[in-house]
């Protein structure tokens, strides 16, 4: 009798281990940690915006994706592969995770405020000056109807392009390398700027860490 109880206990213990291992393999994507405090980007991006945008919106996309990929061909895929090859709800959540990761990690309260080196040269060659690039980038973001993202990307030859992507779209689906992005979903700026999208976009330049953007280039 004692032996039977011990065998049953061992079986239950082993089953629990198997279940935990399976869950860990499925729950592969995690919310990124921010390299700055929630209030560090004020007044450009307020603490409450960071807490809601990062801690609720992005977290929801992470949880959704982990649930959606269970039992699919994407269960063990990396994030970029999922964005390139998926569609529907899986694409929407994976795209938003990738977009937000690039977005949040490009800011710093103390980072460099202008590009240098090869990236600066490429910007000047394409738009004539950094200021001209900023104006076109802002205008593209303001002109995007509805929700989405404005991007600075490069192609395989290092040529720079500004594109607008709707909803969860990302330039990698077009064979481009994303470098810099401004989020124009209203939840990214409404608490701080209400409906003044143009003012929000203009203010973001003061917190862009161009060393991060240069490393992506």
């Amino acid at each position: 009798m004692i032996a039977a109880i011990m065998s049953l206990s061992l079986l239950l213990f082993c089953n629990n281990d198997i279940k935990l291992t399976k869950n860990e393999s499925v729950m592969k994507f995690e919310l990124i940690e921010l390299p700055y405090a929630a209030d560090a980007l004020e007044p450009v991006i307020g603490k409450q915006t960071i807490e809601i945008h990062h801690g609720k919106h992005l977290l929801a996309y992470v949880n959704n994706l982990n649930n959606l990929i269970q039992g699919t061909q994407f269960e063990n895929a990396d994030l970029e592969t999922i964005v390139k090859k998926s569609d529907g709800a899986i694409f929407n959540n994976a795209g938003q995770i990738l977009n937000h990761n690039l977005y949040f990690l490009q800011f710093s309260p103390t980072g460099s405020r202008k590009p240098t080196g090869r990236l600066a040269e490429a910007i000047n060659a394409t738009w004539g000056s950094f200021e001209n690039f900023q104006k076109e980038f802002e205008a593209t973001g303001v002109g995007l109807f509805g929700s989405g993202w404005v991007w600075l990307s490069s192609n395989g030859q290092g040529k720079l392009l500004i594109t607008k992507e709707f909803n969860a779209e990302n330039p990698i689906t077009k064979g481009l390398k994303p470098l810099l992005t401004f989020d124009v979903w209203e939840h990214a700026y409404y608490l701080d700027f209400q409906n003044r999208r143009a003012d929000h976009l203009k203010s973001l330049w003061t917190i862009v860490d161009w060393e991060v953007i240069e490393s992506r280039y």
Side-chain angles (χ1 to χ4, degrees):
M1 182 66 178
I2 294 175
I5 292 173
M6 291 180 65
S7 296
L8 179 60
S9 298
L10 181 60
L11 179 61
L12 290 173
F13 179 79
C14 291
N15 283 342
N16 284 338
D17 276 356
I18 292 171
K19 185 180 293 185
L20 286 172
T21 302
K22 182 179 180 182
N23 284 341
E24 287 170 359
S25 68
V26 171
M27 300 296 284
K28 59 179 299 183
F29 296 107
E30 297 180 354
L31 181 69
I32 58 165
E33 292 187 13
L34 299 179
Y36 43 79
D39 62 352
L41 304 181
E42 292 183 336
V44 178
I45 304 178
K47 179 180 179 182
Q48 187 179 13
T49 296
I50 289 289
E51 290 173 342
I52 294 174
H53 195 182
H54 172 263
K56 295 189 177 182
H57 285 280
L58 180 52
L59 179 60
Y61 295 131
V62 171
N63 291 336
N64 288 342
L65 183 63
N66 284 325
N67 290 326
L68 287 166
I69 61 175
Q70 294 185 42
T72 73
Q73 62 178 309
F74 303 112
E75 191 169 42
N76 296 307
D78 62 74
L79 190 59
E80 289 196 8
T81 298
I82 297 175
V83 173
K84 290 177 181 178
K85 296 185 176 181
S86 66
D87 56 20
I90 290 179
F91 170 79
N92 287 335
N93 285 277
Q96 286 293 70
I97 295 171
L98 180 58
N99 294 354
H100 281 90
N101 287 355
L102 291 167
Y103 173 79
F104 283 119
L105 296 180
Q106 72 188 358
F107 296 131
S108 169
T110 59
S112 59
R113 296 293 180 257
K114 281 192 174 184
T116 59
R118 289 176 53 247
L119 181 56
E121 292 172 2
I123 288 174
N124 290 334
T126 305
W127 288 282
S129 69
F130 180 61
E131 290 71 24
N132 288 341
F133 156 71
Q134 288 178 301
K135 290 176 183 177
E136 183 172 334
F137 197 84
E138 291 172 29
T140 303
V142 171
L144 190 154
F145 183 79
S147 299
W149 304 77
V150 55
W151 294 87
L152 171 67
S153 303
S154 63
N155 65 12
Q157 292 72 48
K159 178 184 168 88
L160 298 178
L161 304 93
I162 295 173
T163 63
K164 56 185 176 183
E165 309 290 344
F166 295 95
N167 299 319
E169 294 175 4
N170 185 289
I172 66 169
T173 62
K174 302 173 180 176
L176 302 174
K177 179 187 291 186
L179 306 175
L180 167 76
T181 187
F182 286 178
D183 186 347
V184 295
W185 283 67
E186 284 190 343
H187 63 241
Y189 62 87
Y190 207 83
L191 290 177
D192 303 309
F193 287 87
Q194 290 76 53
N195 64 332
R196 294 178 288 115
R197 180 189 287 187
D199 291 342
H200 163 68
L201 295 177
K202 187 176 294 292
S203 72
L204 287 174
W205 298 117
T206 64
I207 57 172
V208 171
D209 187 343
W210 282 97
E211 291 181 2
V212 172
I213 311 306
E214 290 163 15
S215 70
R216 295 173 182 173
Y217 185 59

